[in-house]
Amino acid sequence: MSDMQSVISGTVIPKDLAGVDGLEVGFNPPSSNECRLLITGTPGSGKSTFLNSNKKLLMIDVEAGGRTVADPLAMRYTIPPSTKPVDADTAYIAFVDKIIARRIKGATDIEMIGFDSADELVALFQRALCIRETDSASPSLLDIGDIGGGHGKGYAIVREAIANMLDRIHRAGLGWAIVAHTVTKTVTIGKEEVQVASLAVSDTYKSMLLRKCEHFLFVESGVELVTPPPTVKEVKGQKIKTVHPPVPVPCRFLKTAPGGIWKGAEAAELKVRVPLADRIKLPQIDGFGTFSNAYTEAIVKLMENRNGV
């Protein structure tokens, strides 16, 4: 067997290591369905609609709101109502592991697992843990902050359970996408209190999600001015053309930076791995397909830059 060589980097894998599973060189970007996405935006901006437009996605619909999205191509799963709250987290983990097992056996009908939403998933996992850790004789439910004697142990247990699940999804060759709501918080900067927007989860979970994701993207709703086509009427044998003024039309955008009052908008909380356009207009239908096309264009651009084209 000859040496394996990267087309772009020129790095060579030695002959005796060429058959090692997991060892590779060069620029090998994942497909859009294999990406790890964190999607946020204000309520009603279209986050869930965007992800549910991916027919290769299975949505873990913790909020049970997938029935009302505008472009429901994805499959969705919510644990049965008969599931006890104490078993809710393990029930979701077991189902995700079932999808992972199918993928490992060669199934290709599902390429990405979504979660809607991060804050609801965290709350569900925390409640299940608190129920398990509460003494049966206790009159009240144990607080997540008091588990294991405090010191954040309860938060760490939930954080690692979710992180490990995301890692197993990724290692199986599946992508994942998480919808995260936003909240407005008051923080102190210097001597001033200011309003900022951030994810609706505590910092321990937010840091984990930002570390694990490849692309942190923002769905924003807005309006754009569209000029209607002119109309022509015939009056007394003469054609009269009427030009109409621009009218506002609702639209949605997928952005790589939020702007506005977003906390960390300058650097720390912005993350993309390929040169995506700063703003991608999303159609009402097939928003994920539009993202996939933009992602492919960004990959081509990056390869051209690396090759010096």
Side-chain angles (χ1 to χ4, degrees), residues 259-277:
I261 62 171
W262 184 266
K263 181 184 178 185
E266 296 302 320
E269 294 184 359
L270 305 184
K271 187 176 184 181
V272 288
R273 291 283 181 87
V274 297
L276 288 167

Side-chain angles (χ1 to χ4, degrees), residues 59-98:
M59 181 65 78
I60 303 300
D61 192 9
V62 186
E63 293 189 347
R67 296 178 180 181
T68 58
V69 296
D71 192 13
L73 297 182
M75 288 188 287
R76 55 185 180 270
Y77 174 77
T78 305
I79 53 174
S82 59
T83 307
K84 296 179 180 179
V86 68
D87 300 322
D89 56 345
T90 55
Y92 274 123
I93 290 173
F95 183 75
V96 167
D97 285 341
K98 182 176 183 178

Side-chain angles (χ1 to χ4, degrees), residues 228-283:
T231 55
V232 178
K233 292 195 305 183
E234 189 169 321
V235 179
K236 295 182 179 180
Q238 288 189 333
K239 292 183 178 180
I240 299 176
K241 181 179 179 180
T242 302
V243 178
H244 303 284
V247 295
V249 176
C251 58
R252 293 180 298 145
F253 297 97
L254 189 66
K255 301 174 64 178
T256 59
I261 62 171
W262 184 266
K263 181 184 178 185
E266 296 302 320
E269 294 184 359
L270 305 184
K271 187 176 184 181
V272 288
R273 291 283 181 87
V274 297
L276 288 167
D278 293 340
R279 193 172 77 160
I280 302 165
K281 184 179 177 181
L282 296 176

Side-chain angles (χ1 to χ4, degrees), residues 92-306:
Y92 274 123
I93 290 173
F95 183 75
V96 167
D97 285 341
K98 182 176 183 178
I99 303 304
I100 290 173
R102 291 179 76 253
R103 179 68 171 189
I104 292 173
K105 291 179 180 178
T108 58
D109 49 350
I110 297 171
E111 295 184 353
M112 175 177 277
I113 298 179
F115 297 88
D116 195 354
S117 63
D119 34 318
E120 291 289 343
L121 186 69
V122 165
L124 181 144
F125 272 57
Q126 287 187 169
R127 179 169 175 77
L129 177 62
C130 290
I131 295 173
R132 283 196 293 271
E133 294 291 324
T134 299
D135 190 304
S136 58
S138 175
S140 59
L141 190 65
L142 190 65
D143 186 84
I144 187 69
D146 295 329
I147 289 176
H151 307 291
K153 184 176 180 181
Y155 295 102
I157 292 172
V158 171
R159 183 185 67 236
E160 291 308 306
I162 295 174
N164 289 338
M165 179 171 61
L166 296 177
D167 285 344
R168 291 197 303 278
I169 293 171
H170 174 57
R171 289 197 301 270
L174 294 162
W176 54 256
I178 299 178
V179 173
H181 295 140
T182 60
V183 293
T184 303
K185 303 177 181 178
T186 300
V187 300
T188 301
I189 299 179
K191 296 183 179 180
E192 295 185 18
E193 289 189 342
V194 297
Q195 293 284 312
V196 298
S198 188
L199 299 187
V201 291
S202 63
D203 286 346
T204 185
Y205 301 115
K206 181 177 71 174
S207 297
M208 180 271 290
L209 293 174
L210 286 172
R211 187 176 69 252
K212 294 288 184 184
C213 77
E214 292 175 297
H215 309 287
F216 184 24
L217 303 173
F218 304 79
V219 179
E220 182 181 273
S221 57
V223 295
E224 64 177 353
L225 294 177
V226 176
T227 302
T231 55
V232 178
K233 292 195 305 183
E234 189 169 321
V235 179
K236 295 182 179 180
Q238 288 189 333
K239 292 183 178 180
I240 299 176
K241 181 179 179 180
T242 302
V243 178
H244 303 284
V247 295
V249 176
C251 58
R252 293 180 298 145
F253 297 97
L254 189 66
K255 301 174 64 178
T256 59
I261 62 171
W262 184 266
K263 181 184 178 185
E266 296 302 320
E269 294 184 359
L270 305 184
K271 187 176 184 181
V272 288
R273 291 283 181 87
V274 297
L276 288 167
D278 293 340
R279 193 172 77 160
I280 302 165
K281 184 179 177 181
L282 296 176
Q284 293 298 315
I285 302 297
D286 195 27
F288 197 87
T290 299
F291 162 73
S292 295
N293 291 336
Y295 178 79
T296 300
E297 291 174 6
I299 294 295
V300 171
K301 179 180 178 181
L302 191 55
M303 291 181 69
E304 289 175 348
N305 290 340
R306 286 172 180 255

